[in-house]
Amino acid sequence: MRRPVDSLFGRLALLVVTVLLISHFAWYALMRLDRNQLQARYAVEEATFLVEAVRQHVARSPDQPLPSRVRLVDPTSPDVPAENAGVPPGLRRFLDDVQDRMPAGTQVRVGTPGKPPTLWVRSATDHSWIVVPVQPLRPPRSLDRTVWWLITIFSAGVMAALFAAWQLQQPLRSLAQAVARFGRGLPVPPVPERGPRELRQLTRGFNQMVQEVASTENDRAVMLAGVAHDLKTPLARLRLRAELMDEAKVRDGVVRDVDSMAHIVDQFLVFAHDGADRSEPVEVDTQCERVVRTYRAVAAGAPAVQTALNAGPGFRLPAATLDRILSNLLDNAHAYGAPPIVVETARTSAGFTLAVYDNGNGIAAHDLINASRPFVRLDPARGGNGHSGLGLAIVERLVRRLGGEWDIGNHEGRGLRVLMSFAFDVLPRGTSKITESAWGR
């Protein structure tokens, strides 16, 4: 199952949202803290200013009335609050800051709780307590408009960042798809050069590599096809002349050699072919049964081929490609393995599988890596039996061209097994049925 965070866009989106969320939260917390500190400093300044103003008013104009919320209280009055005890830490810091701004020996007390907040101040030279109003230091606050502004800015920033991440991800996605097609041996059109400079350089280098590889592959295919095609005519003449020989033993030997050479030439032509298979998609289980039945009828010693077909009707592949895969694997198992040969299909949680294995001696572990390399025969003594060393290489190329994966190895001590895995959507269900075979069968 694909996880969104595994993609480049998912990781960029997660990174962007996390960074913006942390930065906005930190900014909001600092702003709230700074505003509370500013409020406390302003309250201290205001209280100090009011107390000093009252002192000057009493000294200069004792007969003039004071403002309504400012008053002078006799020290013997029962309204004078007691010493500050059990004051919250925030209010204690406020009282200490006010006392630091006053002359030495000044008493600073807070008014009775439950009433409008007041500050009581009396220095050694004051005859009365000076009572002035103060602002509430830490009033309860609900979410204010700042939070909504932060949400709006955060949402806009996330959308802009996600759009930028999407713009960066698109060229990389196109390049990744092109690389996947190139790895499967499919034609790769030039990838548009978009995005940052480094990404454009990477795309340009990939396009140049694809062009050079395609040119090399085309030259190689033309050379192989030309050589194979040119050999067909003399082979046909050799066979005709062999049929005219009088001695049966010599004639049969020459005919077998010509047939082996013709088979090798056909393998060259198939390996050099680089076109897409346009044959009709067929159900793999049904086609495997048909191919095995035909193989038993025409191949000597082939009745030992068995089937275990459990993939179901959803597993479909192009007919020509499937025939070529099965014929090469059956020929290889019949030539080098031991009966019974088994053709097996299955449906797994990840997709479909097609496997062909025999019950021979298998391949040595150190030779498995070379088993599917072109023109490699692990047993040189078998060079004259019509095998060119292309069978497994052709199968691997066909499987990867369909987007599948293959694994070759010895199967539980029962000989060589070739296991091919395909996704559920290896062929879209709406694939048009074109009966023309790209292999010219």
Side-chain angles (χ1 to χ4, degrees), residues 184 284 311 314-318 321-322 325 329 344-356 395-409 417-427:
R184 290 162 53 184
V284 173
F315 189 15
R316 300 165 69 246
L317 292 176
T321 297
L322 180 58
I325 290 174
L329 291 178
E344 183 180 80
T345 64
R347 179 188 177 98
T348 66
S349 59
F352 299 106
T353 60
L354 169 62
V356 177
V395 172
E396 181 182 17
R397 173 174 291 193
L398 294 177
V399 170
R400 296 197 183 281
R401 188 172 293 166
L402 290 172
E405 298 292 335
W406 97 317
D407 179 68
I408 181 171
R417 181 186 72 164
V418 176
L419 175 64
M420 296 152 281
S421 304
F422 302 91
F424 287 117
D425 56 350
V426 59
L427 282 182

Side-chain angles (χ1 to χ4, degrees), residues 241-278:
R241 292 174 182 175
E243 296 289 347
L244 298 177
M245 291 181 178
D246 295 330
E247 189 174 347
K249 186 175 181 180
V250 176
R251 182 180 65 242
D252 293 342
V254 173
V255 169
R256 282 196 302 270
D257 289 342
V258 171
D259 289 341
S260 296
M261 294 176 65
H263 179 72
I264 293 175
V265 169
D266 289 339
Q267 292 287 74
F268 280 1
L269 288 173
V270 172
F271 186 75
H273 179 77
D274 199 26
D277 186 357
R278 297 183 178 86

